[in-house]
Amino acid sequence: MSVQNKKLLFMLLCSLILLLCLIANGSSLILPAEIKDKYADKTLESLSVLIEFFEKHASDINLDGIYGLRLAQGQLLQLNDYLTKFKSKYTDQNLHIKKLADKIDSIANESLSTIKQNFFDYYIRFLPVASKPFICEYKQRPIREHLIRQDNLDSTFDEDTSDDCFAEVLGTTNDKNTKQCMIDEQCWKMMTIDNGQDYKLTHQLLWFILAKSIGCLDNRKSSALANKHLEYIEDKFCSNIYRDAVTNKKQGRNQDLFLEQILLCSILGYEDFLKIEWLNDILQWQQPTGCFSDMSEIWTVDTKSFKKRQLLVEQEMADGCLSHKSGLASGVLAVYLRALSQ
Ligand SMILES: *[C@@H]1O[C@H](CO)[C@@H](O)[C@H](O)[C@H]1NC(C)=O
């Protein structure tokens, strides 16, 4: 075979492999540059309009909404770092990204001061995670098929007990001796039981993400093994959350849950959750006012009863806009924007 032919064969093989990867992934964000740019623009536009909505109604946002916004802020700050410190092919001369992150800061500050006045206990409980941008370590990794469980799945959990376990690890219970990272047997069991599904599963992962973010992870060399286990736990959670997200998408069940699933796993680096097809759906759910509401749900008898069982802390804002759902959407849009701009 001539060198020319070998080269040709090599290139053919490479394109074939790339094509196979694209098909296998549904659609990951390996895309031609023009398409990527087009979606980056769309996503930035959508996020900007959403943040403007929040700005107009800052005093109506509940803590769950703020948490989503803090995640979005963290993603934007990381993107800004990337654009300014690394040799990136994109630049942000007008500091649009940084300005958006700053805007979120003032929105969150304003709404926190309202929550402090009206729901003081709740405010104190979740202050450690609501008071600053939320940044977590990003490590690109795939979901793992063999960790996905299909039997005896259980989505029931008690929201109050779960809240107590969050307060316990954050060190914000009413108990005088409360201390960050102290965990009792009951909470550990609740957060690690491995047949969870839907919100139960996302809350388990969230609990670990928060524990890690406030420094409950031991950084001594001797703890390397424990930290490896945490990665395994994250793999397990996100692989199973992926299973739920795919089902959710197929059945069009619950957009709020779908956003939560994408957000929590993609911020850790599970890029299987970043698909143009999913982004397209999410962009279409946005309301003319910029927010996310229930108006975009297709209500069937099934989805209605599925949603009724969820006792999530949601707060309705102006025009039927939902605080938790819109907060999650801001986080998801920011993750996508970050991935599309690199
Ligand atoms: C928000 O509050 C924090 C501290 O509570 C402060 O450091 C920050 O400057 C405030 N941001 C804005 C935009 O006011």
Side-chain angles (χ1 to χ4, degrees):
M1 210 187 276
S2 73
V3 175
Q4 204 57 39
N5 278 343
K6 267 190 193 153
K7 255 194 192 156
L8 199 67
L9 186 68
F10 177 73
M11 277 168 55
L12 246 157
L13 271 175
C14 285
S15 0
L16 193 67
I17 289 168
L18 184 66
L19 192 69
L20 283 175
C21 285
L22 284 175
I23 293 168
N25 274 339
S27 51
S28 69
L29 292 175
I30 313 167
L31 295 165
E34 322 87 73
I35 299 185
K36 222 169 148 176
D37 290 352
K38 190 186 94 185
Y39 275 102
D41 287 347
K42 268 188 166 181
T43 307
L44 177 58
E45 173 62 23
S46 159
L47 181 59
S48 306
V49 177
L50 174 56
I51 290 175
E52 265 167 45
F53 167 83
F54 274 128
E55 200 177 18
K56 273 188 228 140
H57 303 279
S59 55
D60 288 343
I61 311 172
N62 69 359
L63 266 179
D64 291 55
I66 294 179
Y67 185 63
L69 280 167
R70 288 303 194 187
L71 281 165
Q73 188 187 4
Q75 292 299 310
L76 293 173
L77 289 174
Q78 283 176 308
L79 174 57
N80 179 61
D81 258 10
Y82 175 82
L83 295 175
T84 52
K85 294 191 187 137
F86 295 88
K87 255 196 146 167
S88 145
K89 75 177 167 116
Y90 299 96
T91 51
D92 181 21
Q93 271 154 353
N94 300 323
L95 293 178
H96 204 72
I97 302 294
K98 178 72 172 60
K99 283 180 197 154
L100 267 186
D102 291 346
K103 211 182 246 184
I104 292 179
D105 207 45
S106 53
I107 295 168
N109 281 4
E110 190 186 334
S111 52
L112 273 178
S113 73
T114 312
I115 293 169
K116 186 178 177 184
Q117 285 166 21
N118 299 330
F119 308 96
F120 189 72
D121 291 348
Y122 197 44
Y123 167 84
I124 291 295
R125 279 195 140 192
F126 292 101
L127 192 60
V129 290
S131 58
K132 52 183 184 297
F134 192 91
I135 292 179
C136 60
E137 195 190 332
Y138 192 88
K139 185 175 171 210
Q140 192 188 350
R141 50 206 143 147
I143 59 134
R144 303 196 183 273
E145 219 52 69
H146 71 279
L147 296 175
I148 298 180
R149 197 182 154 136
Q150 302 288 3
D151 59 313
N152 291 325
L153 300 177
D154 180 17
S155 59
T156 55
F157 74 109
D158 182 64
E159 188 110 13
D160 289 335
T161 315
S162 167
D163 266 9
D164 289 344
C165 291
F166 277 83
E168 185 186 72
V169 76
L170 293 173
T172 55
T173 60
N174 296 328
D175 184 349
K176 260 212 223 76
N177 300 319
T178 183
K179 229 173 141 187
Q180 284 195 335
C181 309
M182 298 263 282
I183 297 149
D184 72 28
E185 190 67 32
Q186 192 202 356
C187 285
W188 181 255
K189 241 178 139 171
M190 178 176 193
M191 295 305 167
T192 54
I193 191 161
D194 68 4
N195 65 344
Q197 189 184 24
D198 296 333
Y199 283 113
K200 181 177 188 171
L201 192 50
T202 51
H203 282 214
Q204 287 178 313
L205 174 63
L206 179 59
W207 187 84
F208 273 96
I209 292 177
L210 295 188
K212 190 173 167 185
S213 81
I214 59 167
C216 300
L217 208 62
D218 191 337
N219 284 318
R220 285 171 303 183
K221 268 228 169 70
S222 57
S223 308
L225 187 66
N227 296 346
K228 263 240 119 34
H229 282 154
L230 181 68
E231 253 179 50
Y232 173 77
I233 287 175
E234 288 171 347
D235 275 358
K236 205 158 77 171
F237 282 144
C238 284
S239 301
N240 284 283
I241 289 173
Y242 188 78
R243 168 205 65 206
D244 289 349
V246 169
T247 310
N248 197 346
K249 159 88 173 91
K250 225 185 269 165
Q251 303 178 349
R253 277 193 310 191
N254 185 333
Q255 295 171 356
D256 180 90
L257 175 59
F258 188 60
L259 291 166
E260 186 159 302
Q261 291 163 333
I262 296 176
L263 181 57
L264 295 181
C265 289
S266 64
I267 56 169
L268 297 176
Y270 292 94
E271 295 186 353
D272 292 304
F273 287 82
L274 300 177
K275 299 181 197 291
I276 284 296
E277 188 198 345
W278 290 3
L279 174 60
N280 253 327
D281 280 358
I282 295 163
L283 290 171
Q284 280 174 18
W285 298 340
Q286 189 167 30
Q287 299 301 305
T289 53
C291 77
F292 288 73
S293 75
D294 263 351
M295 248 90 85
S296 54
E297 298 269 10
I298 299 159
W299 295 106
T300 64
V301 177
D302 276 357
T303 57
K304 253 188 186 148
S305 65
F306 179 78
K307 285 211 38 152
K308 255 199 214 127
R309 279 184 275 126
Q310 309 302 330
L311 303 167
L312 261 201
V313 186
E314 184 57 279
Q315 175 158 309
E316 195 166 315
M317 303 173 68
D319 306 317
C321 294
L322 298 173
S323 173
H324 182 258
K325 186 175 185 181
S326 301
L328 291 173
S330 74
V332 170
L333 291 169
V335 180
Y336 270 99
L337 181 63
R338 185 177 162 204
L340 290 163
S341 311
Q342 297 197 355

